[in-house]
Amino acid sequence: MTGTDVIAAGVDGSASALHAVAWAAAEAARAGGVLRLVHAYRVPEHGDAAGRIVAGEVGTALRRQGEGWLREAGKVAEATAPGVEVQAVLTEESPATALLDQSRHAATVVVGARGLGGYEGLLAGSVAVALAAHGECPVVVVRGRRPHDPPPAEGPVVVGVDDSEAGVAAVEFAFTEAERRRVPVVAVHVWGDVVLDVVPDTTEHRHPVSADPAEIAEKERAVLDERLAGCRRRHPGVEVEAIVERGRPVRALLAHGQRAQLVVVGSRGLGGIPGMLLGSTSRTLVVHAPCPVAVIRPRQRTTRPHGGETPQ
Protein backbone atom coordinates (compact mmCIF):
# COMPACT_ATOMS: atom_id res chain seq x y z
CA MET A 1 0.00 0.00 0.00
CA THR A 2 0.98 3.62 -0.43
CA GLY A 3 0.36 6.71 1.61
CA THR A 4 -2.72 7.53 -0.46
CA ASP A 5 -4.40 4.21 0.16
CA VAL A 6 -7.72 3.98 1.97
CA ILE A 7 -8.68 1.55 4.72
CA ALA A 8 -12.50 1.48 4.73
CA ALA A 9 -14.36 0.35 7.84
CA GLY A 10 -18.05 -0.41 8.15
CA VAL A 11 -19.89 1.43 10.95
CA ASP A 12 -23.30 0.34 12.28
CA GLY A 13 -23.35 1.32 15.94
CA SER A 14 -22.49 -2.15 17.22
CA ALA A 15 -19.62 -3.00 19.57
CA SER A 16 -18.30 -5.36 16.89
CA ALA A 17 -18.11 -2.49 14.39
CA LEU A 18 -16.24 -0.31 16.89
CA HIS A 19 -13.68 -3.11 17.34
CA ALA A 20 -13.35 -3.12 13.54
CA VAL A 21 -12.90 0.67 13.48
CA ALA A 22 -10.11 0.49 16.06
CA TRP A 23 -8.42 -2.29 14.10
CA ALA A 24 -8.74 -0.33 10.85
CA ALA A 25 -7.42 2.86 12.45
CA ALA A 26 -4.31 1.04 13.67
CA GLU A 27 -3.89 -0.48 10.21
CA ALA A 28 -4.15 2.94 8.56
CA ALA A 29 -1.51 4.28 10.95
CA ARG A 30 0.87 1.41 10.18
CA ALA A 31 0.33 1.75 6.43
CA GLY A 32 0.45 5.54 6.34
CA GLY A 33 -3.00 5.57 4.78
CA VAL A 34 -6.41 7.16 5.27
CA LEU A 35 -9.23 5.70 7.36
CA ARG A 36 -12.66 5.92 5.75
CA LEU A 37 -15.65 5.28 8.01
CA VAL A 38 -18.71 4.11 6.08
CA HIS A 39 -22.30 3.93 7.29
CA ALA A 40 -25.15 2.93 5.00
CA TYR A 41 -28.86 2.87 5.76
CA ARG A 42 -32.01 1.90 3.90
CA VAL A 43 -35.32 3.76 4.03
CA PRO A 44 -38.47 1.62 3.56
CA GLU A 45 -40.28 2.31 0.29
CA HIS A 46 -43.97 3.30 0.26
CA GLY A 47 -46.21 3.83 -2.72
CA ASP A 48 -48.76 6.37 -1.47
CA ALA A 49 -48.27 9.99 -0.40
CA ALA A 50 -48.82 9.28 3.30
CA GLY A 51 -46.27 6.49 3.11
CA ARG A 52 -43.75 8.76 1.45
CA ILE A 53 -44.15 11.33 4.25
CA VAL A 54 -43.52 8.61 6.83
CA ALA A 55 -40.56 7.35 4.83
CA GLY A 56 -39.13 10.86 4.76
CA GLU A 57 -39.37 11.12 8.53
CA VAL A 58 -37.80 7.69 8.93
CA GLY A 59 -35.01 8.65 6.53
CA THR A 60 -34.23 11.79 8.55
CA ALA A 61 -34.11 9.77 11.76
CA LEU A 62 -31.88 7.11 10.19
CA ARG A 63 -29.56 9.76 8.83
CA ARG A 64 -29.21 11.45 12.21
CA GLN A 65 -28.60 8.09 13.86
CA GLY A 66 -25.92 7.31 11.28
CA GLU A 67 -24.24 10.67 11.83
CA GLY A 68 -24.10 9.93 15.55
CA TRP A 69 -22.58 6.50 14.98
CA LEU A 70 -19.98 7.97 12.63
CA ARG A 71 -19.03 10.58 15.24
CA GLU A 72 -18.68 7.83 17.85
CA ALA A 73 -16.54 5.79 15.48
CA GLY A 74 -14.41 8.83 14.74
CA LYS A 75 -13.67 9.23 18.45
CA VAL A 76 -12.62 5.57 18.66
CA ALA A 77 -10.35 6.03 15.65
CA GLU A 78 -8.74 9.16 17.11
CA ALA A 79 -8.16 7.44 20.45
CA THR A 80 -6.61 4.44 18.71
CA ALA A 81 -4.46 6.22 16.14
CA PRO A 82 -4.12 9.95 16.85
CA GLY A 83 -3.28 11.95 13.76
CA VAL A 84 -4.60 9.48 11.20
CA GLU A 85 -6.73 11.20 8.56
CA VAL A 86 -10.37 10.14 8.95
CA GLN A 87 -13.09 10.47 6.34
CA ALA A 88 -16.77 9.82 7.02
CA VAL A 89 -19.18 8.54 4.38
CA LEU A 90 -22.94 8.39 4.90
CA THR A 91 -24.95 6.82 2.11
CA GLU A 92 -28.51 5.62 1.52
CA GLU A 93 -28.12 2.06 0.25
CA SER A 94 -27.68 -1.41 1.70
CA PRO A 95 -24.56 -1.85 3.86
CA ALA A 96 -23.32 -4.75 1.73
CA THR A 97 -23.70 -2.74 -1.48
CA ALA A 98 -21.95 0.30 0.00
CA LEU A 99 -18.98 -1.70 1.27
CA LEU A 100 -18.69 -3.75 -1.90
CA ASP A 101 -18.53 -0.46 -3.77
CA GLN A 102 -15.75 0.70 -1.44
CA SER A 103 -13.86 -2.53 -2.12
CA ARG A 104 -13.44 -1.54 -5.76
CA HIS A 105 -11.18 1.34 -4.76
CA ALA A 106 -9.93 0.82 -1.19
CA ALA A 107 -6.75 -1.00 -0.21
CA THR A 108 -8.64 -2.97 2.47
CA VAL A 109 -12.20 -3.15 3.76
CA VAL A 110 -12.65 -3.95 7.45
CA VAL A 111 -15.88 -5.07 9.12
CA GLY A 112 -16.96 -6.49 12.46
CA ALA A 113 -17.92 -10.12 12.72
CA ARG A 114 -21.52 -9.30 13.62
CA GLY A 115 -23.64 -6.20 13.45
CA LEU A 116 -26.67 -4.94 15.34
CA GLY A 117 -28.94 -7.26 13.39
CA GLY A 118 -27.13 -10.39 14.58
CA TYR A 119 -28.76 -12.84 16.97
CA GLU A 120 -26.96 -14.38 19.91
CA GLY A 121 -25.20 -17.40 18.48
CA LEU A 122 -24.96 -15.91 14.99
CA LEU A 123 -21.19 -15.65 14.90
CA ALA A 124 -20.72 -13.84 11.60
CA GLY A 125 -23.00 -11.24 10.11
CA SER A 126 -24.37 -11.51 6.58
CA VAL A 127 -22.49 -8.36 5.53
CA ALA A 128 -19.16 -9.86 6.64
CA VAL A 129 -19.82 -13.07 4.73
CA ALA A 130 -20.99 -11.21 1.61
CA LEU A 131 -17.90 -9.01 1.61
CA ALA A 132 -15.54 -11.94 2.09
CA ALA A 133 -17.25 -13.69 -0.82
CA HIS A 134 -17.48 -10.80 -3.26
CA GLY A 135 -15.15 -7.99 -2.16
CA GLU A 136 -12.64 -6.86 -4.78
CA CYS A 137 -9.86 -5.99 -2.33
CA PRO A 138 -8.60 -7.73 0.81
CA VAL A 139 -11.42 -7.99 3.35
CA VAL A 140 -10.69 -8.25 7.07
CA VAL A 141 -13.38 -9.59 9.39
CA VAL A 142 -12.46 -8.52 12.93
CA ARG A 143 -13.08 -11.19 15.53
CA GLY A 144 -12.00 -11.83 19.13
CA ARG A 145 -11.41 -15.00 21.09
CA ARG A 146 -15.07 -14.88 22.11
CA PRO A 147 -17.97 -13.20 20.26
CA HIS A 148 -17.86 -9.89 22.18
CA ASP A 149 -14.11 -9.71 22.82
CA PRO A 150 -11.84 -7.16 21.12
CA PRO A 151 -9.38 -8.71 18.67
CA PRO A 152 -6.06 -9.96 20.04
CA ALA A 153 -3.19 -7.49 19.64
CA GLU A 154 -0.34 -9.96 20.11
CA GLY A 155 0.84 -13.09 18.36
CA PRO A 156 2.09 -13.95 14.88
CA VAL A 157 0.39 -13.61 11.51
CA VAL A 158 -0.77 -17.05 10.36
CA VAL A 159 -1.22 -17.71 6.65
CA GLY A 160 -2.54 -20.69 4.75
CA VAL A 161 -0.22 -21.57 1.87
CA ASP A 162 -1.10 -23.29 -1.38
CA ASP A 163 -0.22 -22.57 -5.00
CA SER A 164 -3.56 -21.10 -6.03
CA GLU A 165 -3.45 -17.52 -7.30
CA ALA A 166 -5.31 -16.30 -4.22
CA GLY A 167 -3.00 -18.32 -1.97
CA VAL A 168 0.08 -16.67 -3.46
CA ALA A 169 -1.46 -13.24 -2.86
CA ALA A 170 -2.33 -14.25 0.71
CA VAL A 171 1.31 -15.05 1.47
CA GLU A 172 2.48 -11.63 0.25
CA PHE A 173 -0.24 -9.92 2.30
CA ALA A 174 0.74 -11.90 5.40
CA PHE A 175 4.43 -10.99 5.10
CA THR A 176 3.59 -7.32 4.64
CA GLU A 177 1.33 -7.30 7.70
CA ALA A 178 3.88 -9.19 9.83
CA GLU A 179 6.61 -6.77 8.82
CA ARG A 180 4.48 -3.78 9.85
CA ARG A 181 3.65 -5.40 13.17
CA ARG A 182 7.20 -6.71 13.73
CA VAL A 183 5.95 -10.21 14.42
CA PRO A 184 6.67 -13.61 12.83
CA VAL A 185 4.77 -15.27 10.03
CA VAL A 186 3.48 -18.78 10.66
CA ALA A 187 3.10 -20.33 7.20
CA VAL A 188 0.84 -23.39 7.28
CA HIS A 189 0.77 -25.85 4.39
CA VAL A 190 -1.55 -28.84 4.67
CA TRP A 191 -1.60 -31.93 2.49
CA GLY A 192 -4.50 -34.36 2.44
CA ASP A 193 -5.02 -38.07 2.24
CA VAL A 194 -3.56 -40.04 -0.63
CA VAL A 195 -5.99 -40.59 -3.49
CA LEU A 196 -6.11 -42.33 -6.82
CA ASP A 197 -8.32 -39.93 -8.78
CA VAL A 198 -7.74 -36.37 -9.89
CA VAL A 199 -10.34 -33.67 -9.36
CA PRO A 200 -10.97 -31.74 -12.60
CA ASP A 201 -10.16 -28.03 -12.80
CA THR A 202 -7.69 -28.05 -9.90
CA THR A 203 -3.94 -28.17 -9.59
CA GLU A 204 -4.02 -29.71 -6.13
CA HIS A 205 -1.06 -31.96 -5.38
CA ARG A 206 -2.15 -35.60 -5.48
CA HIS A 207 -0.20 -38.59 -4.22
CA PRO A 208 -0.50 -42.26 -5.18
CA VAL A 209 -2.05 -44.49 -2.56
CA SER A 210 1.23 -46.42 -2.26
CA ALA A 211 3.27 -43.32 -1.35
CA ASP A 212 5.17 -43.15 1.94
CA PRO A 213 3.63 -40.38 4.14
CA ALA A 214 7.09 -39.39 5.40
CA GLU A 215 8.31 -38.94 1.82
CA ILE A 216 5.18 -36.95 0.97
CA ALA A 217 5.73 -34.65 3.95
CA GLU A 218 9.35 -34.10 2.89
CA LYS A 219 8.29 -33.23 -0.66
CA GLU A 220 5.55 -30.91 0.59
CA ARG A 221 8.03 -29.11 2.85
CA ALA A 222 10.24 -28.49 -0.19
CA VAL A 223 7.18 -27.13 -1.99
CA LEU A 224 6.39 -24.83 0.94
CA ASP A 225 9.97 -23.53 1.09
CA GLU A 226 9.79 -22.76 -2.62
CA ARG A 227 6.50 -20.86 -2.22
CA LEU A 228 7.93 -18.77 0.62
CA ALA A 229 11.27 -18.01 -1.02
CA GLY A 230 10.20 -14.84 -2.83
CA CYS A 231 8.56 -13.26 0.22
CA ARG A 232 11.53 -14.17 2.37
CA ARG A 233 13.77 -12.26 -0.04
CA ARG A 234 11.44 -9.25 -0.17
CA HIS A 235 10.91 -9.19 3.61
CA PRO A 236 14.26 -10.32 5.07
CA GLY A 237 13.46 -9.01 8.55
CA VAL A 238 10.39 -11.22 9.01
CA GLU A 239 10.91 -14.37 11.04
CA VAL A 240 9.15 -17.37 9.49
CA GLU A 241 7.86 -20.55 11.08
CA ALA A 242 7.05 -23.00 8.28
CA ILE A 243 4.63 -25.78 9.19
CA VAL A 244 3.67 -28.79 7.06
CA GLU A 245 0.79 -30.92 8.32
CA ARG A 246 -1.39 -33.71 7.07
CA GLY A 247 -5.10 -33.12 7.48
CA ARG A 248 -7.63 -30.43 6.63
CA PRO A 249 -6.52 -26.81 6.07
CA VAL A 250 -9.41 -25.30 8.04
CA ARG A 251 -8.65 -27.36 11.16
CA ALA A 252 -4.98 -26.47 11.01
CA LEU A 253 -5.64 -22.76 10.55
CA LEU A 254 -8.22 -22.67 13.35
CA ALA A 255 -5.74 -24.39 15.66
CA HIS A 256 -2.82 -22.09 14.83
CA GLY A 257 -5.16 -19.10 14.92
CA GLN A 258 -5.52 -19.61 18.67
CA ARG A 259 -2.11 -17.96 19.15
CA ALA A 260 -2.37 -15.44 16.30
CA GLN A 261 -3.37 -11.81 15.95
CA LEU A 262 -4.35 -12.31 12.30
CA VAL A 263 -5.10 -15.25 10.01
CA VAL A 264 -4.70 -14.72 6.27
CA VAL A 265 -6.27 -16.99 3.67
CA GLY A 266 -6.99 -16.92 -0.05
CA SER A 267 -10.59 -16.43 -1.11
CA ARG A 268 -10.72 -19.81 -2.83
CA GLY A 269 -7.92 -22.32 -2.66
CA LEU A 270 -7.20 -25.47 -4.57
CA GLY A 271 -10.02 -27.94 -4.93
CA GLY A 272 -12.62 -25.17 -5.11
CA ILE A 273 -15.44 -25.24 -7.60
CA PRO A 274 -14.85 -22.82 -10.51
CA GLY A 275 -17.08 -19.78 -10.05
CA MET A 276 -17.41 -20.33 -6.29
CA LEU A 277 -16.19 -17.03 -4.82
CA LEU A 278 -15.60 -18.14 -1.25
CA GLY A 279 -14.13 -21.52 -0.44
CA SER A 280 -15.15 -23.65 2.50
CA THR A 281 -11.92 -22.91 4.40
CA SER A 282 -12.18 -19.13 4.14
CA ARG A 283 -15.91 -19.16 4.91
CA THR A 284 -15.41 -21.30 8.03
CA LEU A 285 -12.63 -19.01 9.25
CA VAL A 286 -14.82 -15.93 8.79
CA VAL A 287 -17.43 -17.57 11.02
CA HIS A 288 -15.29 -19.35 13.61
CA ALA A 289 -11.73 -17.96 13.78
CA PRO A 290 -10.52 -16.75 17.21
CA CYS A 291 -8.88 -13.63 15.73
CA PRO A 292 -9.28 -11.29 12.74
CA VAL A 293 -9.35 -13.01 9.35
CA ALA A 294 -8.08 -11.45 6.12
CA VAL A 295 -9.59 -12.95 2.97
CA ILE A 296 -7.45 -12.19 -0.07
CA ARG A 297 -8.45 -12.21 -3.72
CA PRO A 298 -5.75 -11.28 -6.25
CA ARG A 299 -6.43 -8.51 -8.72
CA GLN A 300 -4.66 -5.92 -10.80
CA ARG A 301 -5.84 -2.43 -10.03
CA THR A 302 -4.83 1.11 -9.26
CA THR A 303 -6.18 2.47 -5.99
CA ARG A 304 -8.31 5.53 -6.58
CA PRO A 305 -10.09 7.77 -4.10
CA HIS A 306 -13.79 7.07 -3.93
CA GLY A 307 -16.13 9.77 -2.87
CA GLY A 308 -19.29 9.71 -0.88
CA GLU A 309 -21.55 12.00 1.00
CA THR A 310 -19.72 13.36 4.04
CA PRO A 311 -21.90 14.37 7.00
CA GLN A 312 -21.35 17.86 8.25
Side-chain angles (χ1 to χ4, degrees), residues 187-275:
V188 181
H189 175 61
V190 180
W191 61 277
D193 292 334
V194 293
V195 294
L196 289 172
D197 61 327
V198 176
V199 178
D201 298 315
T202 78
T203 56
E204 185 174 1
H205 286 210
R206 296 285 171 170
H207 306 285
V209 71
S210 60
D212 180 0
E215 291 182 1
I216 294 174
E218 184 177 351
K219 290 178 181 178
E220 294 294 344
R221 179 164 292 280
V223 169
L224 175 58
D225 289 340
E226 180 181 354
R227 293 172 189 166
L228 297 177
C231 282
R232 278 176 156 151
R233 288 193 300 270
R234 289 188 292 275
H235 306 273
V238 175
E239 178 185 343
V240 181
E241 180 183 354
I243 296 174
V244 175
E245 294 182 1
R246 179 179 182 178
R248 293 183 59 195
V250 67
R251 290 181 180 175
L253 292 171
L254 284 171
H256 291 291
Q258 293 292 336
R259 58 180 171 128
Q261 63 174 280
L262 178 66
V263 171
V264 184
V265 66
S267 56
R268 181 168 65 88
L270 299 178
I273 301 170

Side-chain angles (χ1 to χ4, degrees), residues 47-80:
D48 57 28
R52 287 192 291 273
I53 292 173
V54 172
E57 294 174 349
V58 170
T60 299
L62 289 174
R63 179 184 177 85
R64 289 175 178 169
Q65 177 179 257
E67 290 171 345
W69 285 343
L70 285 169
R71 285 193 296 270
E72 180 184 21
K75 292 177 181 177
V76 169
E78 175 62 23
T80 303

Side-chain angles (χ1 to χ4, degrees), residues 11-301:
V11 173
D12 67 1
S14 67
S16 181
L18 292 179
H19 290 324
V21 166
W23 194 99
E27 179 74 0
R30 284 189 293 264
V34 173
L35 174 64
R36 178 174 295 152
L37 305 176
V38 181
H39 175 70
Y41 64 95
R42 292 294 299 269
V43 179
E45 296 182 1
H46 297 277
D48 57 28
R52 287 192 291 273
I53 292 173
V54 172
E57 294 174 349
V58 170
T60 299
L62 289 174
R63 179 184 177 85
R64 289 175 178 169
Q65 177 179 257
E67 290 171 345
W69 285 343
L70 285 169
R71 285 193 296 270
E72 180 184 21
K75 292 177 181 177
V76 169
E78 175 62 23
T80 303
V84 167
E85 180 183 346
V86 178
Q87 302 172 352
V89 173
L90 184 64
T91 180
E92 186 179 338
E93 55 187 326
S94 75
T97 298
L99 291 170
L100 285 170
D101 186 41
Q102 290 292 329
S103 79
R104 298 185 182 99
H105 310 278
T108 308
V109 173
V110 183
V111 293
R114 38 186 289 168
L116 286 179
Y119 296 95
E120 290 296 328
L122 181 63
L123 299 182
S126 59
V127 173
V129 172
L131 275 171
H134 301 287
E136 296 185 28
C137 70
V139 172
V140 177
V141 180
V142 175
R143 307 184 51 82
R145 302 298 188 212
R146 294 174 297 183
H148 299 289
D149 286 352
E154 297 181 349
V157 174
V158 171
V159 59
V161 182
D162 62 27
D163 59 5
S164 67
E165 188 180 4
V168 171
V171 172
E172 181 63 44
F173 185 93
F175 269 77
T176 299
E177 292 299 314
E179 186 171 58
R180 288 177 179 153
R181 290 167 167 77
R182 301 181 181 179
V183 299
V185 163
V186 176
V188 181
H189 175 61
V190 180
W191 61 277
D193 292 334
V194 293
V195 294
L196 289 172
D197 61 327
V198 176
V199 178
D201 298 315
T202 78
T203 56
E204 185 174 1
H205 286 210
R206 296 285 171 170
H207 306 285
V209 71
S210 60
D212 180 0
E215 291 182 1
I216 294 174
E218 184 177 351
K219 290 178 181 178
E220 294 294 344
R221 179 164 292 280
V223 169
L224 175 58
D225 289 340
E226 180 181 354
R227 293 172 189 166
L228 297 177
C231 282
R232 278 176 156 151
R233 288 193 300 270
R234 289 188 292 275
H235 306 273
V238 175
E239 178 185 343
V240 181
E241 180 183 354
I243 296 174
V244 175
E245 294 182 1
R246 179 179 182 178
R248 293 183 59 195
V250 67
R251 290 181 180 175
L253 292 171
L254 284 171
H256 291 291
Q258 293 292 336
R259 58 180 171 128
Q261 63 174 280
L262 178 66
V263 171
V264 184
V265 66
S267 56
R268 181 168 65 88
L270 299 178
I273 301 170
M276 181 176 172
L277 296 181
L278 191 65
S280 60
T281 295
S282 48
R283 186 181 182 93
T284 300
L285 288 168
V286 165
V287 176
H288 295 293
C291 66
V293 177
V295 179
I296 311 301
R297 181 174 296 105
R299 62 169 171 154
Q300 298 289 330
R301 61 123 168 108

